[in-house]
Amino acid sequence: QVQLVESGGGLVQAGGSLKVSCAASGSIFRINVMGWYRQAPGKQRELVARITNGGHTNYADSVKGRFTISRDSVKNTVYLQMNSLKPEDTAVYYCNAGLISLDWVTNVYWGKGTQVTVSS
């Protein structure tokens, strides 16, 4: 079994910064990609940023230049540093990982989410 556990969400004022983390644990052979998605009330879940095993990153246009995704492959942990936060960044942030488990099954896993609220 594989678990993704997010941490670091909270309440911050507009213009502030916040860093969220996600640690993957369990029967993991290799993590191919890790990422962050977010879902605001009444909206669809959307990709925020992702990082591959090789370090290639992708960002949503709305967060480019403000958010930075990074990864510690030894700890199976992904981070999202969020700067210059805006009220429209308010959402539940979900960690996502595409990985190969020890029984050679490729699958996608999700964390339970962490709330990020940006006040104006």
Side-chain angles (χ1 to χ4, degrees), residues 52-106:
T52 68
N53 194 33
H56 182 72
T57 57
N58 295 100
Y59 293 92
D61 288 342
S62 59
V63 307
K64 283 180 180 177
R66 300 189 297 122
F67 291 11
T68 302
I69 190 170
S70 61
R71 177 175 171 179
D72 185 330
S73 297
V74 174
K75 296 181 179 180
N76 286 337
T77 299
V78 65
Y79 308 94
L80 186 67
Q81 176 67 47
M82 302 181 286
N83 299 327
S84 302
L85 282 160
K86 305 175 181 179
E88 50 263 43
D89 294 318
T90 295
V92 178
Y93 283 68
Y94 295 92
C95 179
N96 167 279
L99 59 86
I100 303 172
S101 59
L102 291 176
D103 56 359
W104 295 98
V105 174
T106 300

Side-chain angles (χ1 to χ4, degrees), residues 20-36:
V20 291
S21 305
C22 170
S25 63
S27 304
I28 300 170
F29 172 69
R30 186 181 70 209
I31 298 176
N32 293 322
V33 59
M34 295 189 82
W36 289 94

